Amino acid sequence: MDGDTFWFRGEKIRIADIDTPELSPPRCKRERELGLAAKQRFLGILNSGPLSLKVAARDEDRFGRKLRIVFRDRRSVGDILVAEGLARKWDGSRRSWCE
């Protein structure tokens, strides 16, 4: 779906420990470009082999998405995206990607 949300076994999963730029709708050109890059990178990670999911502090967000920390080969997918500049650690609030 985007850089931090995907479907798995009929459930919408949101990566609990990161925030990625919005695609629907992006607030500026930079957010759109970063959002598309995060989505493409995340799709590549998702399609490259098995994942494991760990329940976060809360099971669901206010939109009914399951909140999970996602791992590939024991490494947090969120940490991968943060290290590549495509996500931020989730600190409890959204910040602009248009700065």
Side-chain angles (χ1 to χ4, degrees), residues 1-7 15 23 35-49 51 72 77 81 84 86:
M1 297 194 56
D2 63 19
D4 57 20
T5 306
F6 64 105
W7 286 93
I15 300 180
L23 289 173
L36 288 171
K39 178 180 179 175
Q40 288 303 114
R41 178 64 173 125
F42 186 39
L43 279 172
I45 293 169
L46 287 175
N47 292 320
S48 67
L51 299 171
R72 154 95 50 234
V77 172
L81 294 173
E84 294 177 6
L86 299 171

Side-chain angles (χ1 to χ4, degrees), residues 64-81:
R65 299 175 296 189
K66 297 293 184 183
L67 295 171
R68 301 292 183 265
I69 300 175
V70 181
F71 295 91
R72 154 95 50 234
D73 298 326
R74 292 188 229 141
R75 185 167 180 211
S76 163
V77 172
D79 287 350
I80 294 169
L81 294 173

Side-chain angles (χ1 to χ4, degrees), residues 47-62:
N47 292 320
S48 67
L51 299 171
S52 58
L53 307 175
K54 179 182 172 188
V55 177
R58 292 183 316 159
D59 183 54
E60 289 185 354
D61 68 8
R62 63 188 175 124

Side-chain angles (χ1 to χ4, degrees), residues 17-32:
D17 58 346
I18 63 167
D19 180 42
T20 59
E22 293 300 320
L23 289 173
S24 55
R27 292 170 193 90
C28 64
K29 181 181 175 184
R30 179 175 184 265
E31 183 170 44
R32 181 180 182 281

Side-chain angles (χ1 to χ4, degrees), residues 4 14-20 58 82 87-97 99:
D4 57 20
R14 166 108 172 35
I15 300 180
D17 58 346
I18 63 167
D19 180 42
T20 59
R58 292 183 316 159
V82 168
R88 294 181 183 133
K89 281 292 195 186
W90 177 250
D91 64 5
S93 63
R94 292 199 175 276
R95 293 179 297 157
S96 177
W97 290 90
E99 301 165 350

